[in-house]
């Protein structure tokens, strides 16, 4: 494949004009550049991007991609064109994918990336290997969110009927298949929710700072992993026992519990903690004395049975 050193973003309009709303253009450019630099980080490629000339034909934006290795620049350009035309998986699958990625250490991810890059250099951009590289990069939550932002901006600008992406050379000729996305497909790229699957700490230790001792919507407060948190007490049985004064709380009173950490993506794709909730109190610990709750015992028995069933099928 010929070497590419520029990225082209082509806006197609429903009229014969060659002008685009400056705010829409700037917002789309910000998301595109953020994705490009995030992809460069994932692929460990040195990258610097410069604006190039603008051309008519609808409206065509160009950017020069500069780096230490021409082959790597061509790679990242091809990957970006595919990413922008690759419909993301549904949100639950994206959450599953996030969990899958967490199973790999940072070192293992780097080794996988290096192996794929070596395969590309040896096989001259083998389509199968390019697909693998794209999948790794496109699974990045920041890229998923930025791509969603890009198409959200465009979906509100009715003048655009289609966009295309191309990796081009110095002569502004496409060196890889140009990718087109019609306006009717924009919604497919927009995430329906920013919420992520909650992380669960099934043996969380929380030192109680401020319990809720009456019927109210106020949150409990405690110290978890050396940080003060507010949380909802969703264990109805334990909450009722507290209201009936079956549990007292002193300095150092602690619970072992199932803690749900609620998370979502912010506007740039970073994961933010939105809150905490305790679904089951397993034990109350007071002065070194451990009291196992009935619901805690049931939870552990159910977990043990579930694990034994999984081991059996494995």
């Amino acid at each position: 494949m010929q070497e590419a050193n520029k990225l082209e973003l082509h806006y197609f309009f429903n009229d014969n004009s060659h002008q685009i709303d400056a705010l829409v253009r700037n917002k789309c450019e910000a998301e595109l550049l953020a994705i490009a630099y995030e992809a460069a980080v994932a692929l460990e490629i040195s990258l610097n991007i410069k604006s190039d000339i603008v051309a008519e034909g609808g409206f065509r934006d160009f950017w020069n991609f500069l780096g230490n290795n021409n082959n790597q620049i061509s790679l990242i350009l091809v990957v970006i064109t595919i990413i922008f035309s690759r419909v993301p998986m549904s949100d639950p699958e994206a959450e599953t994918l996030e969990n899958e990625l967490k199973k790999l250490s940072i070192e293992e991810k780097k080794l996988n990336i290096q192996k794929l890059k070596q395969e590309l250099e040896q096989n001259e951009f083998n389509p199968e290997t390019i697909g693998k590289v794209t999948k790794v990069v496109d699974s990045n939550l920041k890229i998923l969110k930025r791509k969603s932002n890009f198409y959200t901006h465009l979906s509100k600008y009715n003048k655009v009927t289609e966009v295309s992406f191309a990796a081009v050379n110095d002569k502004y000729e496409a060196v890889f298949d140009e990718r087109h996305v019609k306006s009717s497909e924009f919604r497919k790229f927009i995430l329906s929710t920013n919420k992520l699957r909650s992380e669960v700490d099934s043996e969380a230790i929380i030192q109680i700072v401020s319990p809720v001792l009456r019927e109210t919507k106020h949150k409990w407060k405690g110290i978890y992993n050396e940080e003060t948190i507010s949380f909802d007490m969703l264990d109805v049985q334990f909450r009722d026992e507290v209201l009936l004064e079956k549990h007292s709380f002193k300095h150092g009173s602690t619970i072992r519990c199932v803690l749900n950490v609620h998370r979502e993506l912010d506007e740039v794709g970073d994961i933010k903690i939105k809150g905490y909730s305790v679904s089951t109190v397993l034990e109350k610990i007071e002065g070194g004395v451990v009291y196992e709750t009935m619901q805690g015992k049931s939870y552990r028995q159910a977990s043990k049975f579930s694990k034994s069933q999984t081991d059996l099928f494995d």
Side-chain angles (χ1 to χ4, degrees), residues 117-138:
K117 284 163 65 178
Q118 289 172 6
E119 285 182 21
L120 282 175
E121 290 175 0
Q122 294 169 1
N123 298 322
E124 297 184 352
F125 288 79
N126 178 285
E128 182 180 351
T129 310
I130 288 177
K132 291 179 182 178
V133 173
T134 304
K135 185 176 181 180
V136 170
V137 176
D138 201 23

Side-chain angles (χ1 to χ4, degrees), residues 98 102 141 196 263-266 269-273:
E98 178 204 358
K102 284 185 176 179
L141 288 176
L196 296 170
R263 310 167 305 147
E264 69 177 34
L265 296 178
D266 65 12
D270 287 323
I271 298 175
K272 301 296 183 183
I273 294 176

Side-chain angles (χ1 to χ4, degrees), residues 252-268:
S253 293
T254 302
I255 61 173
R256 187 187 303 274
C257 60
V258 179
L259 179 68
N260 301 287
V261 183
H262 307 290
R263 310 167 305 147
E264 69 177 34
L265 296 178
D266 65 12
E267 283 306 302
V268 298

